[in-house]
Amino acid sequence: MSANHKECQDCGWQGMAAELDETDDGSGSQTRIFCPDCGGLDINDLNPDEKKEAPE
């Protein structure tokens, strides 16, 4: 996966950044992205290269 893969923390949706819905806040200064499934705003990057190390 690349940095373009995203995950919604609200519903667990996973997909490409291009699949996310977008809207601007009306002032034209900021675009908000949200989940296409639930409309949640808590979208994180999926970074499979950053694996947490398990204690041995």
Side-chain angles (χ1 to χ4, degrees):
M1 281 189 210
S2 71
N4 287 331
H5 283 78
K6 307 289 185 183
E7 179 178 37
C8 176
Q9 298 302 298
D10 294 330
C11 73
W13 171 90
Q14 293 183 0
M16 298 296 293
E19 296 175 66
L20 294 169
D21 290 328
E22 297 181 2
T23 185
D24 68 37
D25 64 3
S27 68
S29 63
Q30 186 176 12
T31 299
R32 302 182 99 187
I33 60 170
F34 54 95
C35 176
D37 282 354
C38 74
L41 297 172
D42 192 6
I43 307 295
N44 289 338
D45 291 333
L46 288 179
N47 294 319
D49 296 336
E50 295 179 11
K51 295 178 182 173
K52 294 181 181 177
E53 294 182 21
E56 293 182 21

